Every structure is written in C-alpha cells, then in structure tokens.
Amino acid sequence: MTVPPKRVFGLAVPALGVLAAEPLYLLVDTAVVGHLGAVSLGALSIGAIVLAQVSTQLTFLSYGTTARTARLHGAGRRADAVAEGVQATWLAIAVGLVLVGIGQLLARPVAELLAGPGDVADAAVGWLRIALFGIPFILVTMAGNGWLRGVQDARRPLRYVLAGNGISAALCPVLVYGLDRGLEGSAVANVVAQVISATLFLRALWVERVPLRPRPAVMREQLTVGRDLVLRSLAFQACFVSATTVAAHHSTAAVGAHQIVLQLWSFLALLLDSLAIAAQSLVGAALGRDDEREARGLAWQVTRYGLIFGCGLGVVFAVLAGVLPHVFTSDSSVLGEVPHAWWFFVALQPIAGVVFALDGVLLGAGDAAFLRTATILAAAVGFLPFVWLSFEFDWGLAGIWCGLSLFMLVRLGAVIVRTRSGRWAVVGAVRV
C-alpha cells in the first residue's frame, strides 16, 4: 500500500524547518559574537558544544515520544496520545532542573577541560552559567516536538521554534551591542529563545484539556526507551569524537579538512532526517490502528524516497567537488586533504538516505532496542577499529572515512535485514 507523497512530505518539510532552525540561529549568534573578538568567539564555541551534547543525548524526549504518541493517535485515542506528551514534558522539566544544577557545578571544570585554563575558558564559564538555565526549556521543546509529530501536526512545532529563534536572533545584537552586555547578552538571548518556544509548546498542551498531573509509571516506560536511544547516541559520539581526535593527530590540515566535510555530512543528515521523522509518525500511526500492511508499505516507500534523495545529493556534491571546499577555506594544505574524505562523503549519500529512512521506520515502530544494538555493533566492528588503526598506521583521512563507510554499511545491512524480517511491525496502540 502506497501513502500519498503529500502526506509524507507534509510532515517532512516542516520537520526539516524545525531541524534547521537551531543551526541557523547559531550562525546568527556566531556572526554577532564574532565581532567581539577571538576570545568571545572561542567561548561561544565551547558553550555551544556543551549545550549541543545535552540535547543530542536526550533526543528520546522527541523521538521516543513521537513513536509512543503516534501509535495511540493511529488507534483513535488522541487524548491518550496527548497524555504521553504531558508525561514527556514532566520528564523534561525534571531532567532539565537536575542538569541545570549539575551544569552550574561543572561549568568551569568542563570549560577548562575543553579549552584549557585561560581567558577563553573564563568567558565560556560566564556564558554557560547563564545559558544553562535554558536547558529545561530546550527539553520541554523537544518533548513538544515529539507529541505534536506523533499526532501528525508538524506545522505548529515549526511556528513555535521559528518564533523563539526569530525573536532571539533580533534580540541578540541589541543585547550584545545596544545594551553593551557583550557575550553575556548572547547567552541571555539564547535563553529567551528557549523560553518562548517552550511556553508555546506548554500552551499547546494546556488547550488540549487533558489531565496534567504527572504519572511516574508512564515516565518510567519513557525512560526505558530513552535508555536505548541514549546508548545509541553515545555510540555515535564515540565514533565522531574518535575520528576528529585521530585527524587532529595526523595533521592540522587533515583536521581542518575533516571538519569541513563532517559539517557538510551533518547538514545533509538534517535533510535526510526530516524524512525519517515523517516515517516515525506515519508508521507508528499505521501500527496503532492495526494496519501492518500499510506500515510495511510505508517502510519501503520512504526507503525509495531516501535512496532517490541520497543519489541526488551524491550527484550534486560530486559536481561541486572542485568548488565548494574553497567556500570554507583558502588554505592550500587543507584543500589538498579534502579529496581524501570528499569522495567517501559523496559515495555514502545513497547509503545514508536508505539508513536514515529505515531508522525512522524502526523508531516509529518503537524498535529502539534493536537500533541501539545495531549502532553499537556497527561502531564496535566497523568505525572504531578502523579509525584507531588509522591512528596507528597513519592512514589519515582516507582511513578515517573508510571507518565511517564500514559503520554505515554495517548499519545498512542491519536495518534492511530487520525491516525485511517484519519483526518490528508489532501492531497495537501500545508496543508490547
């Protein structure tokens, strides 16, 4: 059974806007702070890395919530679906408050670990101590994205996130320069963005008129899914941190080239992940209404879309190979290293399109435990051994990106075998 493409892309396109909003805001923030000097820019970089790690590790508040909510929505139980969002929001608030306290205690040790003692670390601590108060609001926004996607409403999350980030982007230069708050003004603007978006998501829950009391049993179930997704995320982080470390030990030019290609990889992952988000919502809803046939059909339909997008992106970046790297740097040594990673990056796009699409299918089915195991296995037998062999034998970027290729190929095999098996397609409003 084929779902009309309009339904798939009606969810995917707004999801892409939500995914892109934060990176675009960070570009504005970086442009504003960059004129304060190298110390402020370095401090912002450190602070942004710390906040990004928090949100990266807690994506279960959005992805896990989408899967659970979509099943209930598909079963015609909208009130119960929204109630999942209520519990995810309580969980976000609780975890967020704990992280604020821990973050305030660890701000200086973490900043000095990343930047070394000195002016950059001192400035980063000041930025972090303010920006950390936005963490509960960041997590509430993630939970809000999760339940709204689950009830197949992708437009409101886009409006809410754009409202927060848009107002904050306008406020940032006013605080930094107009009110002469400097780097601290950037941190305040960041918190304002999170508060505005989270408030809009909280209002969306309020108007649903569902019970708002916390239910610890439901939150424990959500944490079980969260455990699997956090472990999966840690496997990703171990791979990419290792790759950057090995590139840095190879040469300054190599780590610069690796950074360029890796950032492009991350950007394209956003494009492909928007399709995965649509798959989560639609597959979860199909299984919730006991329509295993539609869920299976959707799985291969979004896989085709992912493959087509991936092939298209591969062609585009193959054509741009001689031009695009020059946009990022004019350093001849860095440009000389880029091709050692570039052609792996190009060749992996079709594979990434399929892997990300099927990741979305399996996440929508609530098959997080399998994805956790598959990702850890791919890291353990593919990426990490090859990356550290590259370090030992000085294979450079070619060795590092061979490792990434093996990582993606193992994941590709795993998700295709799992999807073909059909064991993920467990019907019912709640996966058991």
Side-chain angles (χ1 to χ4, degrees), residues 299-318:
W300 298 116
Q301 183 179 351
V302 296
T303 299
R304 289 194 298 272
Y305 293 158
L307 179 60
I308 292 168
F309 288 165
C311 289
L313 291 171
V315 170
V316 169
F317 283 88

Side-chain angles (χ1 to χ4, degrees), residues 1 283 285-297 427-428:
M1 179 181 294
V283 167
L287 292 173
R289 60 176 171 269
D290 296 341
D291 195 339
E292 182 181 346
R293 182 167 172 263
E294 181 177 315
R296 287 173 178 266
V427 297

Side-chain angles (χ1 to χ4, degrees), residues 25-96:
Y25 171 74
L26 287 175
L27 285 176
V28 173
D29 198 14
T30 300
V32 172
V33 170
H35 293 285
L36 294 174
V39 170
S40 294
L41 191 58
L44 176 63
S45 176
I46 296 299
I49 287 171
V50 173
L51 285 187
Q53 290 305 307
V54 171
S55 59
T56 298
Q57 301 308 324
L58 295 173
T59 52
F60 74 88
L61 287 167
S62 54
Y63 292 113
T65 302
T66 295
R68 293 171 61 87
T69 302
R71 281 180 174 269
L72 292 163
H73 175 70
R77 295 165 53 183
R78 182 181 174 89
D80 290 334
V82 177
E84 285 287 334
V86 172
Q87 301 312 310
T89 300
W90 277 115
L91 191 57
I93 293 169
V95 173

